[in-house]
Structures are given as structure tokens and as C-alpha cells.
Amino acid sequence: KAKVAMSRFEPGTSISYEKLHENINIVRKRLNRPLTLSEKIVYGHLDDPVGQDIARGRTYLRLRPDRVAMQDATAQMAMLQFISSGLPKVAVPSTIHCDHLIEAQIGGVEDLKRAKEVNQEVYNFLATAGAKYGVGFWKPGSGIIHQIILENYAYPGVLLIGTDSHTPNGGGLGSICIGVGGADAVDVMAGIPWELKCPNVIGVKLTGSLSGWTSPKDVILKVAGILTVKGGTGAIVEYHGPGVDSISCTGMATICNMGAEIGATTSVFPYNHRMKTYLNKTGRADIAALADEHKDDLVPDKGCKYDHVIEINLSELKPHINGPFTPDLAHPVSEIGAVAEKNGWPLEVKVGLIGSCTNSSYEDMGRAASLAKQALDKGLKCKAAFTVTPGSEQIRATIERDGFSKILRDVGGVVLANACGPCIGQWDRKDVKMGEKNTIVTSYNRNFTSRNDANPATHAFVTSPEIVTALAIAGTLKFDPETDYLTAANGEKFKLEPPNGDELPARDFDPGQDTYQHPPAESGSVMVDVSPTSTRLQLLEPFDKWNGKDLEDLQVLIKVKGKCTTDHISAAGPWLKFRGHLDNISNNMLIGAINIENDAVNKIKNRLTGEYGGVPDVARHYKANGLSWVVVGDDNYGEGSSREHAALEPRHLGGRVILVKSFARIHGTLRCYMWSHQERGEVIGVWRGMWVGSMRGKAFDPLHKRGNGMLPLTFADPTDYDKIRPDDKLSITGLATFAPGKPLKGVVKHGDGSQDIITLNHTFNENQVEWFHAGSALNRMKELQ
């Protein structure tokens, strides 16, 4: 049989369903039970399917992913690390996507032009590094990484890892796509088996069918309300049941995308005719035909068992809106006005924002445009400001051709660049002052405090593009489009008809501009430069080894109160420009966290001087004076993005321990490897950092912090959090016999001379203990060479 390439950009590769099938059969016979779809795909990529110990939620799997994808903010560190390996080419197909560094200000054309000028150094580094090491490069303006993957690289049964927390978007095409940190990406690009804690499997059984105002987004908004932001930790969410067929392929991607907000390792749907149609429409009919032949391996086995099952009747599901300040605070749209009034949330909608990697499909834009057209026909425009973010150049060109963009502009919208923009804080917002209380509604996935516009007083709500459009037209949260009336320009009262839109364009997609750079066949002459005077890119030094002693008298730098996401630990927005420069980006460390001592943000007491200062400033002062420190955190610490900088910055500024009630999936571990000096002098002492534990169900199992010599610890008794005072010192004892499964002791020394002894848990395995001893995982690898 003719081989089918993994993508049109990589004709030399091929999809190996035969190998997947072989591995599935080996594991099924070993376990002697039916397998879920996620188990089939994950176990189908085992490095050693015969000998691998497999136990959900317990063992670590060694896997061979098919490909890697990196967005530009995280690719900088990943490529610096890969360069340091000395390898000539990546071992698996890999891509870089320029989507995070484009700030929304005026409009798509102007903003993209400015971004290319401002970020020229970084884009040049990524383009030349990609060319030299065999990595495909999607230029600025191409679109958001997850939309590009769905259109070009995801396919049923693929195992893909991406350096962004919303990589699970690809689950809408029957893929297992997992968000990771840069070190994991480097492992896979270097041809090293990738480690993942064997995930549990949560089943979501869908019955009925979607109709009217209810959209795919409402499925995940409902699930988030049920499971909360940590309910999916350590698990893959697998959707199944007769209701699946009523959801479009891009709608399934929306649901999987936002699964990141419940802490899930990833989410996935079974292969069906909706996926086949999407593959055909995106020029991959050969892949669809091949998937048809192997469909039995791309759906769950009959009789398979899930660790937990949720049932949702789509026919009864109502439109939802979640927030503010957290994506799991779920409300039916019909109730949000009353809830907002009761809680004192601003009712006026200042801005409605549609698009993003979560909701920027052709179908999404068509349904939003159908509502905008109704308003225009009645002489109305949006009362709120309104922005539109196409997910890719292909979507932008197609909705421009088919008239959707004009309708959305005519109703008052501004079409932004094909990039992340306001969704990740890349928004130069001017309509409200900092600290001014206001409400925005978005079709995005994440709405943490200050997430979109850096204003902690902004109440951000997440909902579907249809509801965003309706609320932007009405201008208030106190509007239920299913029951409430608008007033036309002539005074007539009217109701919006339910939105409608084609799943896919009748005339096929318009690809738009060619924005892809294929790596050259010969790359020996390609030069990759990192200037020693750059403020954007920095070569890194290795971390120090463990000195063989217990950690004595660590100063509490800050005791964090309440929710502390990766946005609080390492803010995005304007800080994204420093993602390749560890020292500069460390100036944002924990500047968004609330200090329990004074309920203030970025204001802690320097115990050496008695003066108050910013968190990174005090940390730097402690480091300069040889005082190591500890951060004490609350529950679900590190919820949010695949932001390894949130793990690296504390170590860089002198931290030794992060002690919390619990870690979020994406923040449990940091692996930092140290490669040796390369003779070419391209990179010296570059290390890899990564949250291995909590992010990917290892539960990204604090590997992110574990691999850089940092100790991510949890209270054995969560009430011990209350025993620690902001001026305390903490000693960690028992490190001489540090071993897997063996708790450590903490000696809490209070200012009045009293002490508390507490038990501290960890999730290190034997290799990770060795990393700690060596100072980082890379240091350990160097020792073994």
C-alpha cells in the first residue's frame, strides 16, 4: 500500500497505524480487558509495550510521540536547549508557531506590522534555528498554534506534544495532544522516550443533540462547573456516546481545548464522520481514507471502563457563561444578570471579544455573523466594543471572502491579527483605567484575574461566540437572548433568532497568504545568533549541585493567599518578550500573588532590611546575601499555562522550596537539564526546565520543579498551612535519605522562638532524586556521559 504522509509539509514521513494496532493488541492481551480510546492511543505509543508497567494513576509510561509543536514564547527556551544538545536535526517532525508576541492595539494589519518590527530579533532567532535543525516555521500572521495544528497536523490516533497548555485542542480530531514544558519537547526532538504518568480516564457520555443557542462551548463550560479547575488532574477526559455525532469537528476541538481549565492531561473524541468531513475539507482525504480502514483502533472498545463518568444530555443543556476570575464558576446565561446584581458585578458589558484558539472556526464566525446580521437589519450596532480574532490565516481569508468579516466589522467589530492577542494578555487596552471595575465577555478559555488586560478589577466571563455577540449587541449581562427583546432603530421590539452557520465553507477554504517556511534540505551554512547584549535572548548557566546537607533556615519569601495561577507566578502580556531571557523575565516572579500578611500584591517585607519591596526585588536581595528562601502556597498552586518560567524563576532567584497544599496539574514539576559547553560556542550552559509533574498528568507531576534542584512539596496535613507565619524560617530535614515515597520533615521556626514540626510529601521517583542531587536533570545527564 502507498504510504500516507503525516502532513503535506512532510512528504517523507508516514502514518503508521500498523504499529499503533500492533501495540494496542499487545497491551490489550496483557491487561486482558477492553481499552478506552485514550488508552489505545497512549499505550499504542509505548516505547516498550511488552515490558512497560501499566497502572492508571500510578506508573510512569515511556512513550514515543509522533511530533512536537511549539509556540514562539516557549519555543525560544526549547530551541536554546535543543541547540545545546549538539544534535544536528530533530528526531521527529516539529514546528514553531509565531502567535504569542503580537499585541492587539489597532487592527490586524497594523498590529502585525508593528509586531514584526518589535520582535524581529526573536523571530529571526526562531526562523534560523528552525532552518538549521529541521523545524518547520510558521511566520507571524500564520495563526494560533492550535488552529494550525488542527488544520494541518492533527489526525486520528496521533500522539502530539506541544509547548502550550491548550494543545489538547487537537483532541477534536481524535488525537492525543498534550501540553508540556520546553524540556519535554527537547526530549522528544532529541529522540529520547517521553515520560508520562499513566493517566486515569474520565468518561463524559453525551446524549441528545445540540440545537438553538446551545453550542459546543456550553459542554465544556458545564463540565468545568462539575469538575472544577482541578477535577481533571491526572486524567484524560474522553467523550463518547450518541450525542457526539451532533457536534462538529471544530466544536469538538473547542471542548477539548478548554479541558485545560479543569487540569486534565488532555481530552479526546472518537473518530467519526464529522472528523472525516473536516479532514477532507482541509486537503487530507488520504488520511481520512486511511483512518476509515483503521477505525476500530480509533474508537473505544465496547465494555471499556472509565474511572469516573459524567452524563450530559445535549438536548437539555442550556447556554452557559462562566466567571468571573475563574473558568469553573458556571452559570446559565438566563441567570447571570441576577447573579451579577446580587454579587455587585458590573452589568454593563464594556467589551465583547470573539475568536482565539478556542472558538475561531468557520462555524463559530458564521454563527456570530448571523446574529450581527440580524442586528444590522434592525439598524443596531454593538453597544459594547467588539473584537474578532481569526484563529488562522486560512480562517481569516475564508471569512473575508464569504462576507463574515464585513458583517462583523459593520456591527462595530475590529478584526485583530491571526494571533493570541487579548486572550493571553497581549492587549493594549485604552477604554478603562487601571483599577476601574468593569465587565468583559469573551469566547476564550481562561479568565483569571488580570489575565486579559492586566487590570485586576476587570470581571472577565467566558462563554460561546454567539453569546458574546448577543451580549455585545445588548451591552449588558442582564440579557438572555432566548427570552429577552432588543429595541430596533425604529422603536420596534424584536428577539434575536437562534444563530446559524455552516460547519465548513461550501466553497472550500481559502488558504490566504503562504506563511510557512520549510526547513532547507542543506542547513550547514545557516547561522543562529544570540547576542550577549540582547535583552530578549540569554544563554544560561547551570544550577548549583546539592551540597549534601539539609536545607536550613529558608526564609519565607511570601505566604500566598488563595488562588495562585501561572499568571500570578509569571505574568504574560508584556512579559512575553522576555521568554528567552531568564534573568529579565524573573522580574515578574509572583508579582500577581496576594501576600497573606497584608492582602497586597507585589509588596512583601524584606526580613533583612525591615523595608517593604516587590517580590522579585526582595528575592534578589536575599540571593545576593546568601539567604535561600521558600514560597508557601495554597490549594491548586500553579493552575494555568504550560509556563515553565513559573518554575524556573524561583530557582534562578534563590528559591529552594515551593511548599503548598496541592499543585495544579500544570505546575507540579520542573525538570532542568544541563548540557555541556558546545565547542561551536553557540550556547554555553543552557539548561532545560520543565514542569513534568503537574502539567501532563504526571500530574505535570512537580517534575517541572523537581528537575532543577527545586523541591516542590505538599503539606501532608493541609491545615499545617495555617501554622506558617510570613516571618518564619523553614528547615527541610531528611535529605540524606531522600527517597521515593518517603516523606520529608519540616521544622518551622517562629520569630518568638517556638517551633512546629510538620510532615511534607513529595512525588519524586528515583531518577528525579538523582536530578535533585546533581542540581538539575541536565547536570545529571552530564555526569553520566
Side-chain angles (χ1 to χ4, degrees):
K1 289 186 178 180
K3 292 185 176 181
V4 175
M6 293 172 67
S7 83
R8 63 187 174 93
F9 303 103
E10 295 139 355
T13 66
S14 61
I15 296 173
S16 181
Y17 280 139
E18 291 78 10
K19 180 64 175 177
L20 183 76
H21 180 74
E22 178 185 345
N23 286 2
I24 289 171
N25 281 344
I26 291 171
V27 174
R28 188 189 286 115
K29 290 177 182 177
R30 285 184 53 201
L31 299 182
N32 193 30
R33 62 172 174 81
L35 301 178
T36 68
L37 169 61
S38 51
E39 287 183 308
K40 286 183 175 183
I41 301 175
V42 172
Y43 304 161
H45 286 83
L46 285 169
D47 185 50
D48 178 16
V50 175
Q52 172 71 60
D53 188 14
I54 301 171
R56 286 186 192 171
R58 186 175 62 81
T59 60
Y60 285 85
L61 308 178
R62 289 167 61 83
L63 302 168
R64 292 287 184 176
D66 297 301
R67 63 180 311 120
V68 171
M70 300 168 281
Q71 41 97 333
D72 50 356
T74 50
Q76 296 170 59
M77 190 66 69
M79 289 309 298
L80 285 169
Q81 295 167 66
F82 183 81
I83 291 169
S84 71
S85 73
L87 295 172
K89 296 285 182 181
V90 294
V92 301
S94 304
T95 51
I96 294 170
H97 304 260
C98 294
D99 62 358
H100 269 57
L101 302 179
I102 303 169
E103 184 181 49
Q105 274 190 352
I106 303 168
V109 175
E110 299 91 341
D111 294 346
L112 179 59
K113 180 181 178 181
R114 185 181 64 259
K116 289 179 178 178
E117 296 171 353
V118 171
N119 302 309
Q120 181 180 5
E121 176 188 15
V122 172
Y123 291 149
N124 180 63
F125 166 72
L126 294 174
T128 54
K132 188 167 187 67
Y133 297 102
V135 179
F137 180 71
W138 289 85
K139 302 173 186 177
S142 301
I144 304 172
I145 177 173
H146 313 304
Q147 185 67 26
I148 298 294
I149 289 171
L150 197 72
E151 293 173 353
N152 298 280
Y153 299 116
Y155 61 82
V158 71
L159 176 59
L160 177 152
I161 65 167
T163 60
D164 189 275
S165 56
H166 293 102
T167 301
N169 188 81
L173 202 43
S175 310
I176 291 292
C177 299
I178 302 176
V180 300
D184 287 62
V186 176
D187 280 353
V188 178
M189 290 191 293
I192 299 171
W194 176 62
E195 197 175 70
L196 173 73
K197 191 169 187 180
C198 188
N200 290 316
V201 187
I202 297 173
V204 179
K205 182 178 181 180
L206 303 178
T207 60
S209 60
L210 293 174
S211 63
W213 283 90
T214 306
S215 74
K217 186 66 163 281
D218 296 307
V219 176
I220 186 58
L221 294 176
K222 178 70 173 179
V223 170
I226 294 170
L227 290 178
T228 77
V229 291
K230 61 179 182 177
T233 302
I236 293 177
V237 179
E238 185 172 313
Y239 294 85
H240 63 283
V244 167
D245 286 342
S246 76
I247 305 173
S248 66
C249 177
T250 51
M252 290 186 261
T254 291
I255 294 168
C256 292
N257 177 293
M258 199 174 157
E261 308 333 312
I262 57 174
T265 302
T266 192
S267 301
V268 67
F269 278 82
Y271 178 64
N272 68 357
H273 72 281
R274 310 298 283 263
M275 296 182 191
K276 179 177 181 178
T277 300
Y278 184 79
L279 286 168
N280 288 334
K281 276 288 187 179
T282 51
R284 293 174 286 174
D286 52 348
I287 295 179
L290 191 64
D292 279 345
E293 293 178 21
H294 296 270
K295 184 172 182 179
D296 286 348
D297 290 331
L298 305 174
V299 297
D301 286 341
K302 291 182 179 179
C304 67
K305 301 296 182 184
Y306 298 99
D307 295 287
H308 175 57
V309 176
I310 296 169
E311 293 195 25
I312 297 176
N313 185 336
L314 301 179
S315 299
E316 297 175 356
L317 183 64
K318 289 293 186 180
H320 273 63
I321 183 168
N322 288 20
F325 306 126
T326 183
D328 60 349
L329 185 56
H331 323 272
V333 171
S334 59
E335 299 174 10
I336 188 62
V339 174
E341 282 186 317
K342 180 181 178 181
N343 288 286
W345 303 334
L347 287 174
E348 180 189 3
V349 174
K350 284 286 189 180
V351 189
L353 305 100
I354 66 170
S356 82
C357 65
T358 319
N359 275 113
S360 58
S361 67
Y362 184 82
E363 180 182 36
D364 288 329
M365 294 300 175
R367 284 168 65 88
S370 75
L371 298 173
K373 180 67 164 55
Q374 292 180 54
L376 289 169
D377 289 345
K378 297 293 185 179
L380 297 184
K381 290 191 174 185
C382 291
K383 290 184 178 179
F386 188 49
T387 70
V388 180
T389 304
S392 68
E393 168 62 9
Q394 179 169 271
I395 292 295
R396 183 210 62 79
T398 305
I399 65 172
E400 193 73 49
R401 179 199 69 192
D402 292 351
F404 297 166
S405 294
K406 183 179 188 306
I407 293 171
L408 295 171
R409 281 193 292 263
D410 288 348
V411 85
V414 174
V415 178
L416 301 175
N418 315 321
C420 300
C423 183
I424 60 163
Q426 285 283 47
W427 184 16
D428 185 20
R429 190 179 179 191
K430 302 292 189 183
D431 64 302
V432 296
K433 296 178 181 178
M434 186 60 65
E436 181 181 341
K437 196 174 177 181
N438 74 101
T439 284
I440 64 173
V441 291
T442 82
S443 70
Y444 303 161
N445 42 42
R446 199 160 279 169
N447 61 340
F448 304 141
T449 303
S450 305
R451 167 76 177 185
N452 303 121
D453 61 2
N455 182 1
T458 294
H459 292 55
F461 295 84
V462 175
T463 186
S464 67
E466 302 93 304
I467 296 298
V468 171
T469 305
L471 295 181
I473 293 168
T476 177
L477 285 180
K478 203 171 183 180
F479 177 72
D480 178 4
E482 289 192 297
T483 59
D484 294 341
Y485 288 79
L486 294 169
T487 303
N490 63 3
E492 172 193 353
K493 297 287 186 181
F494 74 100
K495 278 175 60 178
L496 291 170
E497 294 295 323
N500 64 82
D502 293 336
E503 178 179 348
L504 293 164
R507 291 191 284 165
D508 294 333
F509 283 107
D510 182 338
Q513 300 178 38
D514 183 4
T515 54
Y516 177 72
Q517 172 189 290
H518 196 284
E522 298 295 330
S523 59
S525 62
V526 177
M527 298 296 296
V528 181
D529 298 320
V530 178
S531 169
T533 61
S534 173
T535 62
R536 301 288 299 272
L537 300 164
Q538 179 192 45
L539 305 181
L540 303 174
E541 297 297 328
F543 291 130
D544 57 299
K545 290 182 64 174
W546 177 57
N547 63 9
K549 301 177 181 179
D550 287 337
L551 298 175
E552 297 285 350
D553 294 331
L554 304 176
Q555 180 65 59
V556 173
L557 177 69
I558 179 174
K559 182 178 180 181
V560 178
K561 177 182 179 181
K563 183 187 282 284
C564 189
T565 72
T566 48
D567 283 340
H568 295 93
I569 303 167
S570 177
W575 292 96
L576 287 174
K577 61 179 173 283
F578 298 124
R579 280 290 187 90
H581 198 292
L582 181 60
D583 192 58
N584 281 345
I585 199 170
S586 292
N587 289 321
N588 75 359
M589 186 192 73
L590 288 161
I591 61 175
I594 298 175
N595 180 10
I596 200 169
E597 186 177 20
N598 55 11
D599 283 338
V601 173
N602 201 28
K603 184 179 180 182
I604 61 172
K605 189 172 184 178
N606 186 322
R607 305 299 167 179
L608 296 179
T609 67
E611 299 176 351
Y612 281 85
V615 180
D617 300 323
V618 174
R620 287 183 187 277
H621 187 260
Y622 287 168
K623 181 180 180 181
N625 286 274
L627 179 61
S628 296
W629 48 263
V630 55
V631 169
V632 178
D634 210 318
D635 200 36
N636 208 37
Y637 182 90
E639 169 193 346
S641 303
S642 58
R643 200 164 299 166
E644 60 192 288
H645 297 78
L648 306 180
E649 293 171 26
R651 179 74 157 102
H652 177 65
L653 294 186
R656 302 300 302 191
V657 173
I658 305 293
L659 174 58
V660 301
K661 292 181 181 178
S662 67
F663 284 102
R665 181 190 74 86
I666 208 154
H667 200 75
T669 51
L670 173 64
R671 295 193 325 202
C672 290
Y673 299 106
M674 239 16 238
W675 295 98
S676 60
H677 168 63
Q678 300 299 309
E679 290 183 1
R680 290 190 305 276
E682 291 171 314
V683 176
I684 301 174
V686 174
W687 49 268
R688 340 206 264 232
M690 119 140 225
W691 292 100
V692 166
S694 149
M695 178 159 183
R696 43 179 205 236
K698 252 178 176 183
F700 228 18
D701 64 288
L703 209 155
H704 230 52
K705 287 193 183 301
R706 294 197 299 237
N708 65 353
M710 200 88 173
L711 282 175
L713 304 174
T714 57
F715 295 102
D717 180 355
T719 63
D720 285 343
Y721 168 88
D722 300 321
K723 294 179 180 177
I724 296 184
R725 305 167 191 169
D727 61 343
D728 283 346
K729 290 191 175 182
L730 174 70
S731 295
I732 308 297
T733 65
L735 291 177
T737 57
F738 186 27
K742 184 178 180 181
L744 297 169
K745 291 292 183 183
V747 181
V748 184
K749 302 176 182 180
H750 305 299
D752 60 7
S754 62
Q755 295 185 354
D756 280 301
I757 308 297
I758 59 178
T759 302
L760 307 175
N761 292 334
H762 67 86
T763 56
F764 282 66
N765 62 31
E766 291 180 0
N767 285 337
Q768 293 154 6
V769 170
E770 292 179 351
W771 297 345
F772 172 77
H773 290 161
S776 73
L778 284 182
N779 287 356
R780 177 59 179 161
M781 292 174 71
K782 184 178 179 181
E783 291 176 354
L784 295 174
Q785 289 180 4

